[in-house]
Short mmCIF file of all heavy atoms in Angstrom, two decimals:
data_model
loop_
_atom_site.label_atom_id
_atom_site.label_comp_id
_atom_site.label_asym_id
_atom_site.label_seq_id
_atom_site.Cartn_x
_atom_site.Cartn_y
_atom_site.Cartn_z
N PRO A 258 9.91 23.13 9.64
CA PRO A 258 10.36 22.79 8.29
C PRO A 258 11.89 22.77 8.24
O PRO A 258 12.55 23.46 9.01
CB PRO A 258 9.78 23.89 7.41
CG PRO A 258 9.24 24.93 8.30
CD PRO A 258 9.18 24.38 9.69
N TRP A 259 12.41 21.98 7.34
CA TRP A 259 13.85 21.89 7.09
C TRP A 259 14.66 21.69 8.37
O TRP A 259 15.66 22.34 8.61
CB TRP A 259 14.35 23.09 6.29
CG TRP A 259 13.72 23.12 4.94
CD1 TRP A 259 12.68 23.91 4.54
CD2 TRP A 259 14.03 22.28 3.84
NE1 TRP A 259 12.33 23.61 3.25
CE2 TRP A 259 13.15 22.61 2.78
CE3 TRP A 259 14.96 21.28 3.62
CZ2 TRP A 259 13.17 21.97 1.55
CZ3 TRP A 259 15.00 20.65 2.38
CH2 TRP A 259 14.11 21.00 1.37
N SER A 260 14.15 20.79 9.22
CA SER A 260 14.84 20.48 10.46
C SER A 260 15.09 18.98 10.54
O SER A 260 14.38 18.19 9.93
CB SER A 260 14.00 20.93 11.67
OG SER A 260 12.75 20.25 11.71
N LEU A 261 16.12 18.60 11.30
CA LEU A 261 16.41 17.20 11.57
C LEU A 261 15.99 16.94 13.01
O LEU A 261 16.41 17.66 13.93
CB LEU A 261 17.91 16.92 11.39
CG LEU A 261 18.40 15.53 11.77
CD1 LEU A 261 17.68 14.46 10.97
CD2 LEU A 261 19.90 15.43 11.58
N ASN A 262 15.13 15.95 13.20
CA ASN A 262 14.53 15.68 14.51
C ASN A 262 14.77 14.24 14.90
O ASN A 262 14.70 13.34 14.06
CB ASN A 262 13.02 15.93 14.43
CG ASN A 262 12.72 17.33 13.97
OD1 ASN A 262 12.57 18.23 14.76
ND2 ASN A 262 12.66 17.54 12.66
N MET A 263 15.02 14.02 16.21
CA MET A 263 15.29 12.67 16.70
C MET A 263 14.79 12.53 18.12
O MET A 263 14.69 13.52 18.85
CB MET A 263 16.79 12.40 16.71
CG MET A 263 17.45 12.40 15.38
SD MET A 263 19.21 12.10 15.63
CE MET A 263 19.88 13.22 14.43
N GLY A 264 14.52 11.28 18.50
CA GLY A 264 14.24 10.97 19.89
C GLY A 264 12.79 10.71 20.21
O GLY A 264 11.91 10.71 19.35
N ILE A 265 12.56 10.48 21.51
CA ILE A 265 11.23 10.20 22.03
C ILE A 265 10.99 11.14 23.20
O ILE A 265 11.55 10.95 24.27
CB ILE A 265 11.11 8.74 22.50
CG1 ILE A 265 11.42 7.80 21.33
CG2 ILE A 265 9.75 8.47 23.09
CD1 ILE A 265 11.47 6.34 21.70
N PRO A 266 10.18 12.19 23.01
CA PRO A 266 9.60 12.62 21.74
C PRO A 266 10.66 13.27 20.85
O PRO A 266 11.72 13.68 21.32
CB PRO A 266 8.53 13.63 22.14
CG PRO A 266 9.06 14.22 23.42
CD PRO A 266 9.80 13.09 24.11
N ALA A 267 10.35 13.35 19.56
CA ALA A 267 11.30 13.92 18.60
C ALA A 267 11.55 15.39 18.92
O ALA A 267 10.61 16.15 19.17
CB ALA A 267 10.77 13.77 17.18
N ARG A 268 12.81 15.76 18.92
CA ARG A 268 13.21 17.16 19.16
C ARG A 268 14.19 17.56 18.06
O ARG A 268 14.96 16.75 17.56
CB ARG A 268 13.89 17.30 20.51
CG ARG A 268 12.99 16.97 21.68
CD ARG A 268 13.67 17.34 22.98
NE ARG A 268 13.04 16.76 24.14
CZ ARG A 268 11.85 17.10 24.62
NH1 ARG A 268 11.15 18.00 24.02
NH2 ARG A 268 11.37 16.51 25.69
N LYS A 269 14.18 18.84 17.76
CA LYS A 269 15.06 19.36 16.72
C LYS A 269 16.51 19.25 17.16
O LYS A 269 16.89 19.71 18.24
CB LYS A 269 14.71 20.81 16.41
CG LYS A 269 15.56 21.41 15.31
CD LYS A 269 15.14 22.84 15.00
CE LYS A 269 16.05 23.45 13.95
NZ LYS A 269 15.65 24.82 13.61
N LYS A 270 17.34 18.65 16.30
CA LYS A 270 18.77 18.53 16.56
C LYS A 270 19.57 19.53 15.74
O LYS A 270 20.61 19.99 16.17
CB LYS A 270 19.26 17.11 16.24
CG LYS A 270 18.61 16.04 17.09
CD LYS A 270 18.92 16.24 18.55
CE LYS A 270 18.25 15.16 19.38
NZ LYS A 270 18.37 15.39 20.81
N SER A 271 19.08 19.82 14.54
CA SER A 271 19.79 20.77 13.67
C SER A 271 18.87 21.16 12.52
O SER A 271 17.78 20.61 12.35
CB SER A 271 21.07 20.14 13.12
OG SER A 271 20.78 19.07 12.26
#
Side-chain angles (χ1 to χ4, degrees):
W259 297 102
S260 62
L261 174 59
N262 303 268
M263 296 179 220
I265 302 174
R268 297 189 195 290
K269 182 178 177 179
K270 298 298 180 187
S271 66

